[in-house]
């Protein structure tokens, strides 16, 4: 049999949140509540829908390779140069491009112990060595991460806010950490949930880009903009780094509909702010119900919450599946009694809480 490179034997296929269609088929249910993949439950901008309809006429033509119009629009909005922007087929692709372009065999990459799994996978694929640093209370231990940076370190990932815990790192600690990363080590700040973060302790990294030419900021249209199915995310970084990545990326990595929808979404601040507001309402509701139930949870700055249900996460997961609710069990992420739940629409949050309460009541009666 044809054998893959040895690195491929050590990784597993990405395990996504259970798809709605799959659960419908399995359980014969007509309505499913998906609270598993941190998508936007409030949809996406109507302006994006209109823009995609118009763009359909052009679909026979390849998209532009460097997304120049979208780059200019985004750059103007962020008050940076368009040469600092690189779009990917989701920020997933930008992560892959970074490791593809910069990691040599044997290079070490420092990251948090429980964080977005694609960092580790892509590092391994390139023959790099992930160096995973234990979390402190669901949060990156920046001091330990700084200490782990050594001669072989080529890259560092900080996921802020972090997936799956939802936590942020404190402003001053992060500022200090950024200054400690040597200039020949790339610092990747993954800010996929940036728009949701409203704590005063959250650091704005964009103004630091000119000073730290080794820093890359990742953001996406998949979360608050609601365009996960289209696959478009981006990296912000020094133009020289963008130049390297452009040589490695597939030429037509971002499709025409994604360009059109992302561009229109940037014009719709009403949709953006309403999504953020509704998410905040849902976050407050779920936090309050968890506290009523004496459940502890990590303080979240995202559109999901990781809560300790005090029983085996697989059992809660299975129970909720039978009720047509998909969440993420924490045992796959190193937290065996925690579940990660995406903040949903109000009635979905309420139904989730009702089912969770019923499960915990049944469980304590049985034990
Ligand atoms: C922290 C983080 N980074 C990156 C991604 C990838 O997002 P996308 O490829 O949809 O832009 C996700 C998706 O869940 C994420 O949680």
């Amino acid at each position: 049999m044809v054998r893959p490179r040895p690195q491929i034997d050590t990784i597993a296929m990405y395990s996504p949140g259970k798809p709605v269609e799959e659960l419908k088929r399995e359980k014969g249910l007509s309505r499913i509540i998906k609270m598993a993949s941190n998508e936007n439950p409030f949809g996406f901008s109507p302006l994006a829908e209109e823009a995609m309809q118009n763009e359909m006429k052009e679909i026979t033509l390849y998209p532009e390779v460097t997304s120049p119009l979208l780059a200019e629009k985004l750059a103007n909005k962020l008050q940076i140069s368009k040469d600092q922007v690189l779009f990917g087929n989701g920020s997933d692709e930008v992560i892959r491009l970074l490791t593809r372009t910069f990691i040599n065999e044997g290079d070490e990459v420092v990251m948090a112990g429980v964080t977005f799994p694609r960092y580790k996978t892509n590092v391994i694929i390139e023959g790099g060595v992930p160096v995973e640093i234990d979390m402190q209370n669901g949060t990156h231990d920046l001091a330990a991460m700084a200490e782990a940076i050594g001669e072989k370190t080529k890259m560092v990932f900080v996921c802020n806010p972090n997936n799956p815990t939802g936590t942020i790192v404190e402003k001053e600690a992060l500022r200090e950490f950024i200054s400690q990363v040597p200039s020949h080590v790339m610092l990747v700040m993954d800010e996929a949930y940036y728009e949701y973060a409203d704590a005063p302790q959250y650091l704005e990294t964009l103004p630091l880009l000119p000073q730290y030419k080794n820093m890359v900021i990742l953001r996406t249209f998949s979360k608050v903009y609601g365009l996960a199915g289209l696959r478009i995310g981006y990296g912000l970084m020094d133009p020289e780094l963008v130049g390297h990545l452009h040589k490695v990326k597939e030429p037509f990595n971002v499709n025409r509909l994604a360009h059109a929808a992302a561009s229109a979404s940037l014009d719709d601040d009403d949709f953006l702010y309403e999504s953020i507001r509704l998410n905040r309402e849902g976050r407050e509701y779920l936090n309050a119900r968890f506290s009523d139930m004496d459940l502890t949870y990590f303080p979240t700055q995202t559109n999901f919450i990781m809560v300790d249900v005090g029983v085996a996460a697989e059992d809660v997961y299975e129970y909720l599946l039978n009720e047509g609710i998909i969440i993420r069990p924490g045992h796959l992420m190193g937290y065996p009694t925690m579940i990660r739940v995406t903040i949903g629409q109000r009635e979905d949050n309420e139904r989730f809480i009702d089912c969770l309460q019923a499960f915990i009541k049944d469980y304590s009666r049985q034990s």
Side-chain angles (χ1 to χ4, degrees):
M1 200 55 191
V2 183
R3 295 297 312 147
R5 293 190 292 122
Q7 292 88 343
I8 309 305
D9 278 332
T10 69
I11 57 175
M13 192 176 153
Y14 180 70
S15 149
K18 197 174 183 67
V20 168
E21 298 84 348
E22 188 178 302
L23 187 62
K24 273 187 182 168
R25 277 195 306 272
E26 279 175 13
K27 307 275 181 204
L29 295 168
S30 55
R31 179 164 148 64
I32 303 292
I33 302 175
K34 187 174 181 211
M35 303 171 98
S37 300
N38 310 334
E39 294 137 336
N40 187 342
F42 308 108
F44 63 98
S45 164
L47 300 188
E49 185 163 359
E50 196 185 320
M52 283 190 282
Q53 296 285 2
N54 290 335
E55 190 64 18
M56 291 290 263
K57 298 190 289 293
E58 311 296 336
I59 217 74
T60 48
L61 304 173
Y62 283 111
E64 286 193 89
V65 170
T66 60
S67 315
L69 299 179
L70 185 60
E72 188 164 359
K73 191 166 185 176
L74 180 65
N76 285 341
K77 198 160 176 135
L78 299 176
Q79 297 189 312
I80 58 173
S81 152
K82 62 181 187 323
D83 306 332
Q84 289 175 282
V85 186
L86 177 117
F87 289 97
N89 196 264
S91 50
D92 272 345
E93 192 201 12
V94 187
I95 296 168
R96 186 189 193 69
L97 281 172
L98 288 170
T99 55
R100 187 81 271 239
T101 308
F102 293 100
I103 299 301
N104 280 304
E105 203 153 324
D107 283 347
E108 291 185 356
V109 179
V110 176
M111 63 188 77
V114 182
T115 190
F116 189 54
R118 301 306 295 167
Y119 312 149
K120 183 175 174 178
T121 307
N122 280 300
V123 167
I124 293 174
I125 290 171
E126 300 305 334
V129 181
V131 178
E132 297 170 274
I133 305 300
D134 285 347
M135 315 286 285
Q136 270 189 338
N137 241 334
T139 308
H140 286 55
D141 183 346
L142 289 181
M145 288 177 72
E147 239 168 73
I149 298 175
E151 292 230 314
K152 291 190 178 159
T153 310
K154 183 66 182 284
M155 194 179 276
V156 179
F157 281 97
V158 174
C159 189
N160 193 39
N162 187 43
N163 180 8
T165 55
T167 55
I168 58 166
V169 282
E170 299 273 299
K171 204 181 230 173
E172 277 319 310
L174 180 56
R175 217 194 291 272
E176 192 186 331
F177 178 79
I178 292 172
S179 73
Q180 288 170 336
V181 178
S183 58
H184 63 275
V185 174
M186 178 175 277
L187 170 60
V188 184
M189 295 295 313
D190 187 343
E191 300 182 352
Y193 301 93
Y194 165 82
E195 293 84 357
Y196 292 113
D198 56 7
Q201 274 306 318
Y202 187 72
L203 179 69
E204 284 288 344
T205 49
L206 196 56
L208 302 176
L209 265 190
Q211 190 183 348
Y212 295 104
K213 297 194 183 307
N214 58 334
M215 185 161 82
V216 173
I217 299 171
L218 302 181
R219 295 193 187 156
T220 181
F221 285 94
S222 295
K223 305 299 175 184
V224 76
Y225 290 101
L227 301 178
L230 278 180
R231 311 307 299 128
I232 176 162
Y234 55 96
L236 307 170
M237 66 200 92
D238 188 81
E240 202 175 311
L241 299 180
V242 172
H244 297 313
L245 297 179
H246 271 314
K247 289 193 275 180
V248 178
K249 83 173 186 73
E250 299 301 330
F252 309 113
N253 59 332
V254 178
N255 70 69
R256 280 187 170 271
L257 297 184
H259 281 145
S263 176
S265 297
L266 291 177
D267 292 329
D268 198 347
D269 282 347
D270 288 349
F271 175 81
L272 173 74
Y273 292 126
E274 186 62 0
S275 285
I276 294 170
R277 187 185 72 76
L278 291 168
N279 182 69
R280 192 178 305 127
E281 253 179 40
R283 180 177 77 191
E284 284 163 9
Y285 168 80
L286 288 172
N287 283 344
R289 293 291 82 76
F290 292 148
S291 295
D292 292 345
M293 294 161 76
D294 283 330
L295 303 179
T296 52
Y297 49 88
F298 290 130
T300 186
Q301 282 287 295
T302 63
N303 65 341
F304 58 88
I305 309 181
M306 203 152 185
V307 56
D308 194 339
V309 286
V311 296
E314 301 101 298
D315 295 346
V316 188
Y317 174 69
E318 286 300 331
Y319 179 91
L320 291 173
L321 276 189
N322 281 320
E323 298 293 331
I325 301 175
I326 315 174
I327 52 96
R328 280 289 185 104
H331 66 288
L332 303 173
M333 312 168 193
Y335 291 106
T337 62
M338 295 188 94
I339 59 172
R340 193 195 69 187
V341 56
T342 303
I343 297 165
Q345 296 191 23
R346 194 191 173 91
E347 57 274 25
D348 295 346
N349 294 333
E350 288 171 356
R351 172 140 170 76
F352 160 73
I353 288 290
D354 287 347
C355 291
L356 184 62
Q357 267 170 336
F359 173 80
I360 291 176
K361 209 159 137 195
D362 270 8
Y363 202 91
S364 52
R365 211 180 291 137
Q366 280 165 24
S367 52

